[in-house]
Amino acid sequence: MRIIAWNCQMAFRRKYRLLAGLNPDILVIPESESPDFLRAKGAKMPWPNQVWVGENPAKGLSIFSRAGISLRRKRNFDPTHRFIAPLRVTQPDKAFDLFAFWTQAEKSQSQGYVTHSLNAFGPYLKGLKPDSLLLGDFNSSPVFKVNGKRHVELVDRLAKRRFSSLYHRLNGHAHGAEPEATFWLHRNRAKPYHLDYVFAHDSVQTKGFTLGRPEDWLAHSDHSPLVVDL
């Protein structure tokens, strides 16, 4: 199974072909349009299944899947956790939970991006199973002066359940010391940050994990995609 997470920086209807050629089974796409918005614009996604959460129909969080993989928002979904979507993914031979992230900040710094992830930890993540996945744009890193320590808190809380970032596990890097970025402020290659993650149980074996290169993606978004093969 191939899963891709990419903050498309809006207008996914004009950019989805960039990912279609990578043959994903599931996509987590922050800043993408609602199903009604896509239909109104005449966009025909090659993935027939879509779950969307958000407030602005032009800019929310989408999860897409190919035919044969169903997506269902879990009953404990709470829109106050902006924007984190707990989903049940079902295939003919297996099913698992997927938690899609595009965390948002409130005006108060005490309610920064990572705070939303931590607030969701109790109601959403206490039921984590070894086959659960958490992925998307977390908008957090320990390099930030404000709330950087709270990212470390999130990583530590996940580690207690034996969940870790696949990129960091496979490459042996510490959070905040990544040589590769997933986000470039204002699409400026001189301002790199690592803000996007795929967290999985330590027992999960991957067949491949790659980050998009800035030279391939900065023309389309300020983020690059994460591609994981399981």
Side-chain angles (χ1 to χ4, degrees):
M1 171 180 283
R2 171 165 285 184
I3 303 175
I4 296 178
W6 182 42
N7 185 320
C8 66
Q9 202 177 24
M10 302 187 66
F12 187 58
R13 66 190 181 279
R14 302 192 187 106
K15 304 175 183 180
Y16 70 89
R17 292 180 182 85
L18 297 167
L19 299 184
L22 299 177
N23 298 314
D25 297 294
I26 297 173
L27 304 95
V28 173
I29 311 294
E31 299 199 20
S32 56
E33 305 94 321
S34 72
D36 288 342
F37 191 100
L38 290 171
R39 281 191 291 270
K41 294 294 184 179
K44 296 182 179 180
M45 297 290 105
W47 309 284
N49 307 309
Q50 180 183 5
V51 171
W52 183 87
V53 297
E55 299 160 358
N56 177 352
K59 187 179 181 181
L61 171 64
S62 286
I63 305 90
F64 296 93
S65 68
R66 65 166 173 80
I69 300 178
S70 68
L71 304 172
R72 176 179 56 82
R73 201 161 60 186
K74 292 172 67 72
R75 292 181 179 177
N76 65 341
F77 169 72
D78 182 348
T80 62
H81 299 303
R82 305 172 59 238
F83 295 108
I84 303 171
L87 304 176
R88 187 65 174 169
V89 179
T90 305
Q91 306 174 77
D93 59 340
K94 67 179 293 188
F96 64 94
D97 291 340
L98 183 151
F99 298 85
F101 282 73
W102 176 40
T103 50
Q104 297 293 289
E106 304 292 354
K107 292 181 180 180
S108 168
Q109 291 287 5
S110 65
Q111 290 293 306
Y113 294 105
V114 69
T115 301
H116 283 279
S117 298
L118 287 165
N119 287 345
F121 197 95
Y124 286 168
L125 308 183
K126 64 182 179 182
L128 280 179
K129 303 176 181 66
D131 59 354
S132 300
L133 294 174
L134 303 83
L135 67 157
D137 179 4
F138 285 71
N139 269 314
S140 63
S141 168
V143 304
F144 294 148
K145 292 181 179 179
V146 177
N147 287 318
K149 291 182 179 179
R150 302 219 73 192
H151 178 84
V152 175
E153 180 184 347
L154 176 66
V155 171
D156 288 346
R157 291 179 72 176
L158 287 168
K160 289 179 180 178
R161 296 178 181 269
R162 296 189 60 200
F163 277 75
S164 57
S165 160
L166 287 179
Y167 171 84
H168 297 81
R169 183 198 311 171
L170 295 171
N171 294 284
H173 302 310
H175 283 259
E178 304 90 351
E180 298 174 285
T182 66
F183 169 80
W184 295 263
L185 185 63
H186 307 309
R187 304 197 190 187
N188 183 343
R189 293 182 66 167
K191 298 180 179 180
Y193 297 91
H194 198 108
L195 306 181
D196 304 82
Y197 308 93
V198 179
F199 288 95
H201 192 267
D202 291 342
S203 63
V204 171
Q205 299 295 312
T206 62
K207 298 178 181 178
F209 185 95
T210 58
L211 299 181
R213 301 181 304 175
E215 56 265 34
D216 296 330
W217 295 95
L218 282 184
H220 311 288
S221 174
D222 49 6
H223 288 254
S224 64
L226 284 63
V227 182
V228 59
D229 292 302
L230 301 174

